[in-house]
Amino acid sequence: MAERRKSATKKLEKLSMNPKTPMSREQKEVTDWLKVNIPTKKTKFLHSHVVDYFCGNRAIDLLMTDSPWAPCSKGKVEVEDGQLVFDTRDKCVEFLDNLLRYKMFHRAKKIPVAEKEKKEKKGKKKDDKVETMDDRTDTDLDKGSETGEEEKVEKTEKKKRKIRLDMHLEQIFVDSSDAYVWLYDPIPWYYWVCGGGICLVLIMFCLFPLWPRVIRRGSHWL
């Protein structure tokens, strides 16, 4: 398995990052389906803006199990020649790598939050606790220590590892838990409807001198 992955990655590295042919209809449909259905997370990218990202292996699992192009969704129906079916993980990797080269998303590197920042935040919290602890009585201190220990245990159990993203040097799609940041952001259909309506209203007001007299007299009441 490891040798197959190495050979597959070598093949993908040789491909160009600027494809000359436009995207096919199937590629657009798969991209739209992934944008809607794949679970995403939000985090900071390069300490600047917040982005949505997904895991590569999760995208492959969805394409092979829950997508309209999965083998199980076809059932016993005969698959026609040239019809898109994600029956292997390698096929999914190759297809998603093509989408990456069309700049639908890009590969990112996960970076855990620096420990210095965590220590600074903890230091500020400790200073605040010391000021509040001075005002408490001895009994309150005993109760507070017990509840504080319980809260710490709960926090450590629920605590999740915070990460930030940075640009990955190798822009290829890999079947792993690597992060892929969405660049594809389609315009919703209702934006076009609202924009067209506004344009029609402006054109109607520009043609005000050509309106019938009855309508022009009635418009003065508005």
Side-chain angles (χ1 to χ4, degrees), residues 190-205:
Y190 51 85
Y191 276 41
W192 297 101
V193 174
C194 294
I198 292 170
C199 291
L200 290 175
V201 171
L202 292 174
I203 292 170
M204 287 175 63
F205 279 107

Side-chain angles (χ1 to χ4, degrees), residues 51-70:
V51 295
D52 295 329
Y53 73 95
F54 63 92
C55 295
N57 52 7
R58 181 60 178 160
I60 294 173
D61 293 338
L62 281 176
L63 288 176
M64 294 187 66
T65 55
D66 299 333
S67 71
W69 304 275

Side-chain angles (χ1 to χ4, degrees), residues 124-136:
K124 290 179 181 179
K125 290 180 180 179
K126 285 181 181 178
D127 294 337
D128 296 335
K129 286 182 180 180
V130 170
E131 291 177 359
T132 55
M133 290 283 279
D134 293 336
D135 299 332
R136 293 181 181 177

